[in-house]
Amino acid sequence: MSWNYLAELEAESVYVLREAFAKLDRLAVLWSLGKDSNVVLWLCRKAFFGHVPFPVIHIDTGKKFPEMYAFREHYARAWGLELIVEMAPPEEEVDPTLPPAARSAARKTLGLQRALEKHGFEGLILGIRRDEQALRAKERYFSPRTADNRWNMKDQPPEFWNQYMTDFPPGTHVRVHPLLHWTEVDIWRYTKRENIPVIDLYFARDGKRYRSLGDRDITFPVESNARTIDEIIAELETTHIPERAGRAMDHESEDAFERLRATGYM
Amino acid sequence: MSDGAIRPLPIVVVGHVDHGKSTLVGRLLHETGSLPEGQVEAVRESSRRRGMPFEWAFVLDALQAERDQGITIDTTQIRFRTARRPYVIIDAPGHKEFLKNMVTGAARAEAALLVIDAAEGVQEQSRRHGYLLRLLGIPQIAVVVNKMDLVDWSAGRFGQVAEGFRAYLAELGLTPLAFVPVSAREGDNLAAHSPRMPWYQGPTVVQVLDSFEAAPRPVDRPLRMVVQDVYKFDQRRIVAGRIESGRLRVGDEIIFSPSNKVVRVRSIEAWNVPEPPEEAVAGESIGITLSEPIFVERGEIVSHLERAPMETTVFRGRIFWLGERPLEVGNTYTLKLGTSEARVRVEAIERVIDTDDLSGRPADHIARHGAGEVILRADRLLALDPFDANPATGRFVLIEDYLPVGGGIVSMEGYPDQRQLVTRRATNIHAVGHAVTREARIARNGHRGGVLWFTGLSGAGKSTLALALERELFRKGYQVYVLDGDNIRSGLNADLGFSPEDRAENIRRVGEVAALFADAGMIAISAFISPYRADRERARRAAGDGFHEIYIHAPLEVCEQRDPKGLYKKARAGEIPDFTGISSPYEPPENPELVVPTHELSFEESLALLVDYVERHFRA
């Protein structure tokens, strides 16, 4: 195998996934259908030699782009996934003090929380990255959550030398973040190297493309002429616009994202 | 095949709280044009709204709580690029309470910038962070002397701060690549040389960063693959794990430690690769299939036969402590080393390190954020390496109540490899059907056979008492013989030296010979220091129920004062390496059959105690 930086990123993620599979009893992976979680599923198949040996959860807000639903149905079958689709609860059930877009996004959190309770999962794999957002930069590979789904950001366990926190008091669940050390452009380079399928919405149409995919009503395209992965990589090499610029809930108030994360948003 | 991805160099920025780490990073990003559009303006605006002066540190963090407290409570991570290459800068907190976060961040780094306030000078955390960098194995560091604007850009003050710290780091074995005087707030000496410090001719911070080298992959060290799992998803049975060092090829003969199973690599498995790999090297997460269906499990280490890891139940750890409750002698923790786990007991705290002056002193506990050297004993055999030989399999984490509470690196100085000691031995006592029975020998001799295994420090009185006891028992009609250095070392063990391994082998052979004497109906008295509990346990297994461990006990100070052969003096002078009690450990027996305290009893009383013991336990 040729060794380079992408190989190193991949090897690290595979190590994390195997640790999770070895140490956590009831494990599942969250699939948002976006570029990052597609890479996570791909890395699972790398780690487990073509298999994804645990359930794949999609929290459906009912407001995703049609392309995303088509993608889900096709690849769930093609990759032999044990797919669990959970509908997110209506907005009325969400914390009314959150700003509107954040409130909408929080539906996903609530849906996820209910799915975890319903299926009794102890570990959940998610494709977040440190470079996406300042708060995510503080995450651990293995990040414990309290029984009520809270992230105690200010008192996280130490994590070093590839030793992760893998044993927990009853009632805790743990989020596993195998992509923590990747960047947006790494994701695209790897997607290209491995020829991983992605939804067309990422590619420019009429001078605009989506850099990050969420709900139809709170996600906006950015200006771009990148029509291929190579052009996306070239664009990312020079841009100073943050990846989540098109995600409305990040920008409503200074602490909106922090509040979402603390209560269980991915 | 190049895919264009360039590996960023992971750098950590550490130092005392408020010495300006975040300011340095924030301003560095600005000076090198690495900030997202509008970030500085947004932070200026938000500072204005809050009625606070603008700080470069705010640029780093959109985190409200952090800004309110004015301290970085967790590591943040920033991507940044110079003309030479990209970097990931980990900004680690300086506040003492957040040492665990500093460790979390710094452990990922391959180089470090240590920031010191020119006005305040070196502070407690400056030293502690320096010490931790050494323990974490960060090989390259540079010191940034910040806030030069507060000391009127004084070359004298800079020299003063730099020289003091240089001496401290030298004692740790760290040699900084450079000391750079800067004002992070004003941007001096970050990307360009400052006209306000014309006396400084050394590199700027950016030039220092660019002079760091990426850590080389340990491909030339011995093969170590830590086993994470064994999979059976399809017809293949795949042993999965990561190669921490060295290289592994299809067809290689490998050994799993500590189970000591030897097998060949049949294939290296991988998914979605152009062709099945023939070789895998350090850094790769792989899977292998084996030539034979042997049982192996998570936690083992794969190596080549000739350069295998050490096996031991006891080792010395140089540790840093993060737990709320102090580490204390007698406490037990879960140890994680590679993918293996074991319960370990703190057998001794050899010394606690004062990171202010690097002095060490004995203690019964190590407090939170402290460092020290401890002896750990595991409940089972561990495969490991001394940290200096192979870092990835020579470092460990301790867990208490689910939480990681400490980390450390392994030192095997003074401890033998127990691998050769787990060799299979012939079943020569119970299974071999001699025509002469044990009972017949007892009837003839009038006493049982057995082993009186004397153990204790040099100078405790083992040999003197053994020879006197032999004489006394012989006079009373016993078949008795003393095994000691004189008659064993000159013949049977003439091939052995005094390394920990050779000393262990020496004791192993004595144990076997003593067991044969016992089987022959005699009383064998062995008089060897035999410092390791594991060695004595093996001798006990060899001799079975006729084994009596007798602790000839006198405190080290007493023995050293007696010093009948002048050995302690030589050991103290460094002329004898691995001398028990001085430069090599002695593990006292946990449950000896008899203790003879020679510092409290006279010689005659000691001998009487021994004779009485034999009369009670060996008479037919």
Side-chain angles (χ1 to χ4, degrees):
Chain A
M1 277 175 262
S2 70
W3 185 257
N4 55 26
Y5 183 51
L6 284 184
E8 183 181 336
L9 291 173
E10 177 193 74
E12 185 75 24
S13 301
V14 164
Y15 187 84
V16 170
L17 287 167
R18 288 174 175 171
E19 285 300 286
F21 185 59
K23 295 294 293 184
L24 303 175
D25 273 343
R26 300 187 52 79
L27 187 63
V29 54
L30 195 68
W31 188 25
S32 73
L33 313 171
K35 64 190 191 306
D36 304 290
S37 62
N38 290 342
V39 167
V40 172
L41 288 187
W42 200 262
L43 289 166
C44 287
R45 300 169 82 198
K46 286 272 181 186
F48 308 113
F49 303 95
H51 306 265
V52 182
F54 31 72
V56 176
I57 304 178
H58 180 228
I59 305 295
D60 192 350
T61 55
K63 298 191 297 181
K64 301 293 178 194
F65 296 89
E67 292 90 334
M68 293 169 78
Y69 291 112
F71 187 90
R72 182 181 80 189
E73 295 315 311
H74 180 78
Y75 287 102
R77 211 171 309 119
W79 293 345
L81 305 178
E82 183 188 338
L83 179 67
I84 297 176
V85 175
E86 289 291 337
M87 290 307 292
E91 207 167 305
E92 293 74 58
E93 297 181 31
V94 171
D95 178 0
T97 68
L98 282 169
R103 195 169 170 208
S104 176
R107 290 180 59 217
K108 211 157 76 172
T109 318
L110 203 55
L112 178 63
Q113 195 174 335
R114 290 184 182 171
L116 291 177
E117 281 160 20
K118 182 165 149 194
H119 300 280
F121 289 119
E122 181 182 286
L124 184 68
I125 299 167
L126 298 108
I128 66 160
R129 308 186 322 266
R130 287 204 183 99
D131 82 316
E132 277 177 276
Q133 211 278 338
L135 279 175
R136 287 179 174 168
K138 297 171 188 309
E139 269 291 4
R140 306 290 200 246
Y141 285 102
F142 280 61
S143 179
R145 293 294 189 277
T146 56
D148 60 354
N149 221 12
R150 295 220 154 237
W151 178 38
N152 191 354
M153 178 180 57
K154 289 171 192 166
D155 188 20
Q156 300 195 68
E159 185 175 76
F160 51 98
W161 294 342
N162 296 305
Q163 295 294 357
Y164 313 111
M165 189 170 163
T166 50
D167 294 293
F168 304 93
T172 318
H173 84 265
V174 57
R175 298 213 172 160
V176 181
H177 302 131
L179 294 186
L180 214 50
H181 54 298
W182 295 54
T183 64
E184 185 181 9
V185 70
D186 295 334
I187 293 290
W188 284 112
R189 287 206 167 100
Y190 188 72
T191 298
K192 182 183 175 213
R193 187 190 94 171
E194 294 287 319
N195 203 13
I196 304 171
V198 286
I199 294 175
D200 280 344
L201 294 166
Y202 285 110
F203 301 112
R205 237 177 298 172
D206 307 325
K208 281 182 188 301
R209 73 176 192 92
Y210 288 90
R211 252 178 93 179
S212 174
L213 289 177
D215 282 357
R216 224 163 39 223
D217 56 344
I218 53 171
T219 310
F220 306 100
V222 295
E223 286 187 18
S224 167
N225 291 313
R227 293 162 179 279
T228 64
I229 294 186
D230 282 333
E231 288 173 13
I232 289 177
I233 291 169
E235 176 188 284
L236 293 177
E237 292 282 313
T238 54
T239 186
H240 276 190
I241 298 167
E243 179 177 7
R244 293 179 61 89
R247 302 294 282 270
M249 71 272 202
D250 291 20
H251 313 290
E252 288 171 323
S253 74
E254 232 175 288
D255 65 351
F257 196 73
E258 183 179 342
R259 286 177 65 193
L260 278 173
R261 285 281 294 160
T263 54
Y265 188 79
M266 38 317 275
Chain B
M1 183 187 77
S2 168
D3 43 41
I6 302 166
R7 184 177 186 277
L9 187 72
I11 299 279
V12 70
V13 183
V14 297
H16 199 77
V17 63
D18 286 339
H19 280 197
K21 299 180 297 297
S22 302
T23 305
L24 174 71
V25 177
R27 187 66 195 245
L28 204 52
L29 297 184
H30 176 66
E31 293 293 316
T32 52
S34 311
L35 287 173
E37 234 158 69
Q39 180 115 4
V40 175
E41 289 67 29
V43 174
R44 276 193 203 281
E45 171 57 21
S46 127
S47 301
R48 196 191 54 75
R49 269 206 317 272
R50 286 158 198 271
M52 297 166 74
F54 168 79
E55 293 277 353
W56 284 102
F58 296 164
V59 172
L60 293 189
D61 260 299
L63 183 53
Q64 195 166 1
E66 242 171 73
R67 237 173 296 172
D68 291 346
Q69 285 184 18
I71 46 174
T72 315
I73 58 164
D74 202 336
T75 50
T76 52
Q77 157 171 300
I78 311 293
R79 305 252 167 187
F80 139 89
R81 184 184 279 275
T82 67
R84 182 180 175 196
R85 69 180 154 212
Y87 292 87
V88 184
I89 295 199
I90 306 154
D91 176 29
H95 198 279
K96 184 172 177 175
E97 286 310 300
F98 304 123
L99 201 67
K100 63 185 173 116
N101 294 330
M102 181 271 180
V103 167
T104 300
R108 298 203 300 269
E110 289 169 25
L113 293 180
L114 217 157
V115 181
I116 296 176
D117 183 320
E120 276 195 28
V122 175
Q123 296 292 310
E124 183 204 359
Q125 294 304 303
S126 324
R127 298 193 193 93
R128 195 181 297 272
H129 285 182
Y131 187 85
L132 279 171
L133 291 176
R134 177 80 181 93
L135 217 54
L136 291 168
I138 315 286
Q140 313 173 84
I141 70 164
V143 177
V144 176
V145 180
N146 188 25
K147 306 194 191 179
M148 288 301 292
D149 49 323
L150 299 186
V151 296
D152 295 327
W153 318 101
S154 156
R157 178 61 189 159
F158 168 71
Q160 207 180 347
V161 172
E163 282 324 302
F165 204 46
R166 190 195 301 276
Y168 177 86
L169 293 174
E171 214 170 317
L172 282 175
L174 286 173
T175 312
L177 252 63
F179 286 79
V180 191
V182 312
S183 166
R185 191 200 302 263
E186 308 290 326
D188 295 78
N189 279 343
L190 298 189
H193 278 95
S194 163
R196 291 186 278 206
M197 290 176 278
W199 46 267
Y200 177 74
Q201 306 293 326
T204 62
V205 172
V206 168
Q207 285 170 332
V208 167
L209 291 176
D210 282 350
S211 68
F212 288 137
E213 295 300 332
R217 276 203 301 161
V219 292
D220 295 323
R221 289 186 192 266
L223 169 68
R224 297 288 182 268
M225 170 179 151
V226 295
V227 175
Q228 290 186 277
D229 221 330
V230 180
Y231 299 135
K232 191 91 183 57
F233 296 123
D234 40 44
Q235 74 290 350
R236 298 168 295 178
R237 188 164 163 280
I238 300 176
V239 178
R242 179 162 66 186
I243 301 190
E244 300 289 356
S245 61
R247 44 184 82 232
L248 176 140
R249 290 185 188 83
V250 172
D252 280 2
E253 191 174 41
I254 54 171
I255 179 166
F256 287 79
S257 301
S259 76
N260 283 309
K261 287 175 180 152
V262 178
V263 72
R264 277 188 191 283
V265 178
R266 190 170 65 190
S267 67
I268 297 174
E269 299 291 325
W271 178 76
N272 201 42
V273 293
E275 53 200 60
E278 279 294 308
E279 184 189 64
V281 300
E284 293 183 38
S285 292
I286 61 161
I288 55 176
T289 63
L290 308 176
S291 62
E292 286 165 63
I294 57 166
F295 175 77
V296 290
E297 55 188 342
R298 176 180 165 84
E300 302 211 55
I301 296 178
V302 171
S303 71
H304 289 125
L305 212 48
E306 59 278 15
R307 296 176 82 187
M310 294 177 88
E311 290 185 346
T312 187
T313 51
V314 60
F315 63 92
R316 179 181 293 105
R318 298 175 60 192
I319 66 159
F320 52 89
W321 193 246
L322 305 169
E324 305 241 359
R325 282 195 296 275
L327 172 137
E328 290 173 344
V329 173
N331 285 1
T332 57
Y333 302 98
T334 298
L335 168 107
K336 285 182 160 189
L337 189 155
T339 53
S340 72
E341 289 180 34
R343 292 294 290 170
V344 293
R345 198 172 142 265
V346 180
E347 199 163 79
I349 297 173
E350 291 193 316
R351 54 194 205 121
V352 172
I353 309 288
D354 182 340
T355 49
D356 270 345
D357 59 7
L358 297 179
S359 63
R361 58 186 164 76
D364 58 1
H365 73 280
I366 297 179
R368 187 170 199 209
H369 300 144
E373 293 182 13
V374 300
I375 303 298
L376 298 174
R377 179 174 296 275
D379 62 354
R380 55 181 194 76
L381 201 60
L382 300 170
L384 49 70
D385 286 295
F387 179 79
D388 293 336
N390 219 329
T393 42
R395 59 193 181 198
F396 58 89
V397 168
L398 296 175
I399 313 282
E400 181 181 36
D401 291 345
Y402 308 107
L403 281 173
V405 285
I409 63 180
V410 173
S411 156
M412 288 300 287
E413 221 171 286
Y415 287 100
D417 189 352
Q418 292 176 20
R419 178 184 299 278
Q420 47 275 62
L421 313 178
V422 285
T423 44
R424 267 157 299 175
R425 43 179 291 282
T427 50
N428 57 7
I429 293 190
H430 306 293
V432 180
H434 281 290
V436 180
T437 64
R438 183 171 164 167
E439 286 67 33
R441 293 182 201 276
I442 294 174
R444 157 91 57 93
N445 291 336
H447 65 83
R448 271 180 278 277
V451 176
L452 298 172
W453 188 276
F454 285 18
T455 174
L457 291 168
S458 175
K462 295 181 300 301
S463 293
T464 320
L465 281 170
L467 293 171
L469 180 64
E470 183 187 37
R471 243 186 343 263
E472 198 56 31
L473 292 179
F474 185 78
R475 203 177 54 75
K476 288 174 178 285
Y478 284 86
Q479 298 280 2
V480 58
Y481 187 73
V482 170
L483 299 169
D484 63 10
D486 287 344
N487 54 26
I488 293 289
R489 282 272 181 192
S490 62
L492 177 64
N493 290 356
D495 58 327
L496 299 177
F498 289 89
S499 69
E501 286 73 20
D502 277 5
R503 293 176 65 171
E505 174 61 13
N506 181 44
I507 297 304
R508 188 189 72 79
R509 292 183 197 173
V510 172
E512 295 289 345
V513 169
L516 289 175
F517 271 86
D519 194 39
M522 301 180 69
I523 295 177
I525 307 173
S526 81
F528 292 84
I529 296 172
S530 45
Y532 303 111
R533 210 169 280 158
D535 292 347
R536 300 193 299 265
E537 283 310 305
R538 209 173 37 260
R540 181 186 292 276
R541 283 197 299 277
D545 57 7
F547 186 89
H548 300 253
E549 187 177 24
I550 296 176
Y551 184 20
I552 308 297
H553 174 55
L556 180 63
E557 311 82 73
V558 176
C559 295
E560 189 164 358
Q561 207 180 351
R562 291 179 185 161
D563 205 6
K565 301 174 195 164
L567 296 174
Y568 282 95
K569 199 172 288 173
K570 283 190 187 164
R572 287 286 183 200
E575 291 168 35
I576 309 177
D578 294 326
F579 190 78
T580 301
I582 304 294
S583 48
S584 169
Y586 178 78
E587 301 170 2
E590 274 180 325
N591 296 300
E593 272 76 6
L594 180 67
V595 179
V596 183
T598 61
H599 58 302
E600 290 170 358
L601 302 179
S602 70
F603 178 77
E604 285 70 26
E605 286 169 332
S606 299
L607 184 59
L609 187 65
L610 284 162
V611 172
D612 177 62
Y613 180 84
V614 173
E615 293 270 63
R616 281 188 292 114
H617 288 87
F618 286 81
R619 274 291 175 207

